[in-house]
Amino acid sequence: MRNGNPQQIRLAQLLGLGPVWRVRDPGGFAAPAEPRSAPRAAASPDPAAPTVADVETLDWDGLEQAVRNCTACGLCRSRTQTVFGVGSRDARWMFVGEAPGAEEDAQGEPFVGQAGRLLDNMLAAAGLGRARDDAPSVREAVYIGNVIKCRPPGNRNPDAEEVARCAPFLLRQIELLRPRILVAMGRFAAQTLLETEGSIGSLRGRAHEFVRGDLRIPVVVTYHPAYLLRTPGDKAKAWEDLCLARRVYSEQSP
Ligand code: URA
């Protein structure tokens, strides 16, 4: 694939045929790094936790603190720490996942496990990066967040109540960031951002719109990286989704 055009080379990389998309640690998960901050003592659910109305007035620091202290659902009991989000707060791209896994719970940062390594490779193949240093310019900088800020035990799916309690934090992150494009990775992100019950299969392939107050942000739906690890045959479709997202972004931010 060395002789292909950049698009072909990226597709080959996406399919695992080139260096960018190769999973760097095929032997399993890397040992978790030291937590970024000291893990908090397990908390208990608190019915007086921040309400949606409270959350809507918070700035970045207040929001991060509200997430850190949140006891609105039972996930607070088993978490090591909350996982707020990562990336430049000037980022024009926002990628949204589901919920932290074991490594994210240990490190306090989204997508640092095996699925995160695949996501980083996907971002690199698309010329994007999660931190300002990884991104060629602010135009290519990505902010990454999750619908759920605490790890569900055993990485089970979040339940409807947990999503309902946690989604206001994500919605406020979007309001504060005001990204030019949202990429929803997986069913929980897509259904939360688009307020739909639709499947990934029915939502992929076209741009949707996230609407909140005066905000109108295009949304492209794609597979979750953890799904792609289990189903590598769908990586080509994920690459199509990223190409669609790039086109949508270029059209509205020339
Ligand atoms: N999967 C997610 O959806 N989010 C993470 O942060 C890690 C894995």
Side-chain angles (χ1 to χ4, degrees), residues 83 97-101 104 109-111 115 146 224:
V83 178
E98 179 181 319
E104 291 77 20
E109 182 171 324
F111 284 100
N146 283 313
H224 192 285

Side-chain angles (χ1 to χ4, degrees), residues 38-105:
R40 289 162 35 79
S44 298
D46 173 8
T51 65
V52 174
D54 296 333
V55 168
E56 280 174 357
T57 63
L58 297 174
D59 63 10
W60 275 113
D61 289 345
L63 185 63
E64 193 159 5
Q65 190 179 348
V67 167
R68 204 179 305 121
N69 295 334
C70 182
T71 53
C73 80
L75 296 182
C76 65
R77 287 203 216 94
S78 51
R79 73 183 179 217
T80 304
Q81 60 193 316
T82 55
V83 178
F84 183 68
V86 68
S88 166
R89 291 176 182 178
D90 302 324
R92 297 184 184 176
W93 290 73
M94 182 168 181
F95 280 62
V96 180
E98 179 181 319
E103 290 176 69
E104 291 77 20
D105 175 70

Side-chain angles (χ1 to χ4, degrees), residues 200-213:
I200 294 296
S202 69
L203 297 169
R204 282 188 58 249
R206 63 191 191 280
H208 303 264
E209 197 169 51
F210 171 86
V211 180
R212 189 163 169 83

Side-chain angles (χ1 to χ4, degrees), residues 127-178:
L128 303 169
R130 72 165 70 196
R132 202 190 281 278
D133 292 348
D134 301 345
S137 75
V138 69
R139 279 183 60 81
E140 324 299 344
V142 169
Y143 187 89
I144 304 172
N146 283 313
V147 175
I148 299 283
K149 311 300 191 210
C150 299
R151 181 190 181 204
N155 296 347
R156 65 162 170 75
N157 286 340
D159 66 29
E161 173 76 9
E162 290 157 356
V163 172
R165 296 268 176 155
C166 216
F169 294 131
L170 172 67
L171 300 181
R172 185 65 187 152
Q173 282 175 302
I174 296 170
E175 278 178 342
L176 290 168
L177 189 67
R178 301 181 84 84

